[in-house]
Amino acid sequence: QVQLMEFGGGSVQTGGSLVISCEVSGDIGTRACMAWFRQGEGEEREGVVSISTGGGTPTYDDIAQGRFTLSKGNAKNTLYLRMSRLQVEDTAMYYCAAAPTEWCTWPLQQRDFPYWGQGTQVTVSS
């Protein structure tokens, strides 16, 4: 059984930085698309960044480009998302998601990801 669990999150002031991570347990296969989504209160869930575990570089949504950095951890199927220059509008629940597909398809769609973490809250205050 595949399980995802997010760590990190919390509160930070505008302009600050935060790192959240995602650990995947279980057998998701040799290649998978892993992604971060976020959902603000009263808003739809949106894709932030994705990466194929088989190789390649992360793909960022415009909201994250230049401010967020996705990296893989040394442990298998561990992702870190470093978020810098955070703004109030970045306040949201951040979810890690995974799909047993070789490549990620943009725009990211929730329905394409069968595995989800419980989410971790990021709150940015002015």
Side-chain angles (χ1 to χ4, degrees):
Q1 183 178 359
V2 176
Q3 292 184 324
L4 282 67
M5 186 169 291
E6 299 93 343
F7 297 90
S11 297
V12 64
Q13 291 189 323
T14 300
S17 299
L18 207 59
V19 178
I20 57 178
S21 63
C22 172
E23 294 183 5
V24 182
S25 60
D27 184 11
I28 198 171
T30 56
R31 297 178 186 273
C33 170
M34 297 186 67
W36 284 97
F37 286 76
R38 72 182 189 183
Q39 187 168 19
E41 187 173 353
E43 299 179 358
E44 294 186 357
R45 194 168 297 187
E46 59 183 353
V48 176
V49 59
S50 71
I51 190 168
S52 172
T53 61
T57 57
T59 301
Y60 298 91
D61 186 85
D62 289 345
I63 59 175
Q65 188 71 44
R67 299 189 302 129
F68 293 5
T69 303
L70 181 69
S71 61
K72 295 180 183 179
N74 291 329
K76 182 181 179 181
N77 292 342
T78 302
L79 291 181
Y80 295 94
L81 183 64
R82 177 175 176 81
M83 302 178 289
S84 303
R85 290 184 282 142
L86 286 164
Q87 304 299 315
V88 172
E89 50 266 32
D90 293 315
T91 295
M93 186 73 80
Y94 284 72
Y95 297 92
C96 181
T101 56
E102 184 171 1
W103 303 111
C104 303
T105 302
W106 278 79
L108 298 176
Q109 301 286 345
Q110 293 184 61
R111 61 175 180 266
D112 294 334
F113 292 84
Y115 306 113
W116 291 85
Q118 80 287 351
T120 186
Q121 179 68 35
V122 172
T123 301
V124 185
S125 58
S126 58

